[in-house]
């Protein structure tokens, strides 16, 4: 996990002749990104590697505790960055500009852009990048604002950039797979054309008047790394510490009983467990004894180690 890969192409423009070829090549890189995004998304939700833990010694005592600090990190970052809705302001103070900016803010409020900004930041903090789609209203979508804003799933969205100076976006892709027919449909946008592709067959090719690619990428940083991605090994270690500590408590409570110089039958042992007491007798000068096999985990040292790891996580992630 070292951030998401930027998808690039050496093509100057995207046309009907090369769009399928560029799409096919880009998907190879996107699928790598998508699998990592899915892992980080599940990690954020609490589906973490500790749940697959296998314990060879006393496997019947195998706790799997998820201490979901990844969720804590993302929640803090989202709250910090999106605590208040984003408002547009202008450096030009004339009345015409002020009225236009006020209208823009009203339109964004009508589209509930504040909640969609939170979704964008949440994806940024989880997987290092996020995507937004802005389209004009259709006939069935007319409302106060003449456009619609959508937050897209990074697992099903990507942008292909030029490898020329400036890395200008060449095309954006949003796709989905039909659960019945298993056919994957790709919606491909360039600056002036829209392609609808099913698998590798172009079904639609039409111009649009937007004058831009309507899907915009919001990378969290140059490496496109999520907020907790850099500390994944430390987060896994914290889960392992919590699980081992619980194992230590259970193993103390369920300690083995050892019998020294005395022979106890199964029936006598079951009676002993029922009554909570046992009587043994020394024979031929050999001292008989009953005891438990106890190896107690040093909780103080363990807590010191855990606190050190947690402080490292906070420092690396820029958390208070």
């Amino acid at each position: 996990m070292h951030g998401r890969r930027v998808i690039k192409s050496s093509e100057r423009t995207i046309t009907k002749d090369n769009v399928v070829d560029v799409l096919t090549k880009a998907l190879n890189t996107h699928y790598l990104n998508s699998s990592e995004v899915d892992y980080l998304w599940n990690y954020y939700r609490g589906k973490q590697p500790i749940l697959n833990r296998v314990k060879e010694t006393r496997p019947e005592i195998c706790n799997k505790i998820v201490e979901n600090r990844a969720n804590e990190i993302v929640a803090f970052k989202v709250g910090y960055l999106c605590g208040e809705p984003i408002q547009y302001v202008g450096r030009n103070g004339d009345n015409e500009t002020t009225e236009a900016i006020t209208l823009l803010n009203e339109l964004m409020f009508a589209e509930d852009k504040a909640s969609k900004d939170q979704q964008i930041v949440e994806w940024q903090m989880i997987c290092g990048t996020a995507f937004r789609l802005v389209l004009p209203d259709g006939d069935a979508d007319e409302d106060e604002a003449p456009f619609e804003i959508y937050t897209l799933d990074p697992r099903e969205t990507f942008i292909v950039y030029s490898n020329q100076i400036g890395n200008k976006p060449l095309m954006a892709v949003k796709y989905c797979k039909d659960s019945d027919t298993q056919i994957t449909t790709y919606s491909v946008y360039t600056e002036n054309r829209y392609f609808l592709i099913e698998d590798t067959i172009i079904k639609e090719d039409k111009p649009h008047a937007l004058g831009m690619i309507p899907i915009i990428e919001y990378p969290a940083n140059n490496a496109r790394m999520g907020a907790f991605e850099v500390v994944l090994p430390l987060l896994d270690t914290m889960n392992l510490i919590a699980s081992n500590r619980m194992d230590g408590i259970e193993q103390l409570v369920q300690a083995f009983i050892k019998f020294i110089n005395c022979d106890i039958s199964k029936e006598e042992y079951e009676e002993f467990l029922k009554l909570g007491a046992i009587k043994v007798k020394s024979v031929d000068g050999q001292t008989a004894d009953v005891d438990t096999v106890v190896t107690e985990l040093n909780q103080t040292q363990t807590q010191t180690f855990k606190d050190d790891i947690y402080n490292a996580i906070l420092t690396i992630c820029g958390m208070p």
Side-chain angles (χ1 to χ4, degrees):
M1 292 292 180
H2 304 289
R4 313 289 74 74
R5 302 154 191 82
V6 180
I7 303 174
K8 295 183 179 180
S9 173
S10 58
E11 299 289 343
R12 295 298 182 98
T13 57
I14 302 298
T15 65
K16 184 177 181 180
D17 297 327
N18 64 7
V19 63
V20 173
D21 185 49
V22 173
L23 174 64
T24 303
K25 292 178 180 178
L27 283 172
N28 294 328
T29 304
H30 167 71
Y31 287 146
L32 293 175
N33 286 341
S34 180
S35 63
E36 293 177 356
V37 171
D38 191 57
Y39 177 84
L40 293 168
W41 169 250
N42 286 324
Y43 200 101
Y44 163 72
R45 294 169 55 213
K47 298 173 69 175
Q48 300 180 10
I50 193 67
L51 297 177
N52 300 319
R53 180 189 183 206
V54 176
K55 189 163 171 279
E56 295 182 359
T57 304
R58 296 199 71 179
E60 73 278 7
I61 299 178
C62 182
N63 289 281
K64 303 172 183 180
I65 298 176
V66 175
E67 194 167 318
N68 200 344
R69 298 292 179 177
N71 190 290
E72 175 193 4
I73 293 168
V74 171
F76 171 81
K77 297 282 188 179
V78 173
Y80 179 77
L81 293 171
C82 295
E84 295 291 335
I86 295 173
Q87 296 287 324
Y88 295 102
V89 296
R91 289 177 294 179
N92 187 345
D94 63 78
N95 292 334
E96 184 179 354
T97 301
T98 301
E99 290 175 1
I101 291 176
T102 300
L103 175 60
L104 179 61
N105 281 321
E106 289 297 326
L107 295 177
M108 294 302 177
F109 178 79
E111 286 300 313
D112 192 22
K113 180 174 176 288
S115 67
K116 292 163 187 176
D117 286 338
Q118 285 190 336
Q119 295 171 2
I120 288 287
V121 175
E122 184 180 26
W123 277 118
Q124 284 180 323
M125 297 301 106
I126 293 171
C127 65
T129 192
F131 296 90
R132 168 174 287 158
L133 172 64
V134 182
L135 290 176
D137 274 345
D139 294 336
D141 301 322
E142 292 185 0
D143 52 16
E144 296 91 339
F147 54 84
E148 295 292 329
I149 301 175
Y150 306 93
T151 301
L152 304 180
D153 190 331
R155 294 170 292 184
E156 301 171 350
T157 312
F158 62 91
I159 293 178
V160 178
Y161 296 89
S162 169
N163 59 12
Q164 304 293 321
I165 294 176
N167 302 127
K168 179 182 176 181
L170 294 175
M171 71 180 195
V173 182
K174 171 70 177 76
Y175 67 90
C176 62
K177 189 172 186 177
D178 191 292
S179 58
D180 297 327
T181 63
Q182 298 299 307
I183 295 176
T184 303
T185 303
Y186 302 90
S187 297
V188 181
Y189 294 91
T190 67
E191 284 189 348
N192 48 33
R193 300 200 74 80
Y194 168 76
F195 300 95
L196 181 65
I197 302 173
E198 288 186 0
D199 290 334
T200 58
I201 301 173
I202 299 176
K203 294 293 186 178
E204 286 187 34
D205 173 17
K206 59 185 181 182
H208 65 73
L210 299 176
M212 61 173 287
I213 297 175
I215 296 178
I216 302 97
E217 182 175 12
Y218 294 81
N221 45 60
N222 287 336
R224 288 170 166 78
M225 292 186 71
F228 61 85
E229 187 174 346
V230 70
V231 293
L232 281 175
L234 297 178
L235 296 174
D236 290 338
T237 301
M238 287 195 69
N239 287 340
L240 186 58
I241 291 173
S243 300
N244 279 330
R245 290 177 78 170
M246 193 63 223
D247 286 351
I249 294 172
E250 280 196 33
Q251 287 172 172
L252 178 63
V253 174
Q254 302 178 26
F256 290 114
I257 298 177
K258 61 180 179 180
F259 296 89
I260 302 174
N261 295 323
C262 56
D263 188 15
I264 301 295
S265 66
K266 180 180 178 182
E267 292 75 15
E268 290 173 327
Y269 180 68
E270 291 176 349
E271 187 71 14
F272 155 51
L273 293 177
K274 182 179 179 181
L275 297 176
I278 190 170
K279 178 181 178 182
V280 296
K281 181 173 66 174
S282 300
V283 180
D284 298 333
Q286 294 183 334
T287 302
D289 190 18
V290 178
D291 199 0
T292 55
V293 180
V294 177
T295 302
E296 188 174 357
L297 188 68
N298 190 315
Q299 295 289 351
T300 302
Q301 293 180 1
T302 303
Q303 186 63 43
T304 301
F305 180 44
K306 181 180 177 182
D307 290 343
D308 182 59
I309 291 177
Y310 185 52
N311 288 331
I313 290 173
L314 296 181
T315 303
I316 293 170
C317 293
M319 296 269 291

